[in-house]
Amino acid sequence: MPLKPVRLEPIAFCPLLVGNWKMNGLGSAVAEAREVAEALRAEPVRARVAICAPATLIERLARAVKGSALIIGGEDVHPEASGAFTGDVSAAMLADAGARMVIVGHSERRQAYGETNALVAHKAMAALRGGLEPIICVGETLAEREGGHALDVVCRQARGSAPLASDGMAFSLAYEPIWAIGGGQIPTRNQIEEMHGALREVLIEMFGVPGGVVPILYGGSVDQGSVANVLKAREVGGALIGRASLSATEFLSIVRAAE
Ligand code: PEP
């Protein structure tokens, strides 16, 4: 009997849209996350949506958005599981509070605390071991871009900061040019595609076939006006959104414009 041809449905592109609240948000900010969660419940979107927030808010946020599609994450994690590390927070603590993701190696931490690629890789491993999905940030300074070193610098960061082994566990990379963060200019689509293409090659070189599907997010001055164009760029699997994620109205307008 001849075999019936199988029709493959195209896999729907499901971007990951992550808000990064940085060192912002008191108890009153829980209402913003609740509003995002309610909107996602009322009108489901074809995107995974997350808010990474200060550690002090995670438990309250997780409780407030429980049962919705909104994912809550942390903004940093210690590489060790526990111990004498005053002031730090482990992956298990974040997960226990309700986090499912965590940002590691953000340029603000690399610059302010001298975080190295090796440390970031250890943080990413700690997150994976603790059941969290790490978002590993990389990005060049303006001087590095203007000096023609952006690709080299960022690919070296990615090679050094990616988890040593992922064993099928989920993580994302986020390309965040430092000069574009916080209301700076946004790179051209060509610049984004060139960098994301190079990062894809690094991921495949490091992880083989699974490296081909690791989401590579773009971050830096993404807003309602730019998000659709950013997500259309080749090898862009989502966006990391700072300032514009602090208000539910603004963040939701980005999530809706991303569709
Ligand atoms: C960030 O710092 O992760 C970021 C994306 O910031 P912004 O959107 O404010 O440029």
Side-chain angles (χ1 to χ4, degrees), residues 59-82:
E59 185 152 13
R60 276 179 280 177
L61 291 176
R63 210 173 295 147
V65 309
K66 197 169 177 189
S68 80
L70 181 61
I71 298 165
I72 299 300
E75 299 177 10
D76 184 40
V77 66
H78 195 275
E80 297 299 329
S82 64

Side-chain angles (χ1 to χ4, degrees), residues 20 22 106 108 176 180-184 219-222 240-244:
N20 172 13
K22 310 193 182 193
H106 192 282
E108 285 154 14
E176 297 205 295
I181 289 178
S221 296
V222 172
L240 193 49
I241 299 130
R243 185 197 43 77

Side-chain angles (χ1 to χ4, degrees), residues 4-31:
K4 255 177 67 198
V6 177
R7 239 191 62 224
L8 293 175
E9 296 298 333
I11 298 169
F13 172 59
C14 181
L16 173 58
L17 304 172
V18 183
N20 172 13
W21 280 7
K22 310 193 182 193
M23 197 173 74
N24 295 294
L26 301 177
S28 55
V30 173

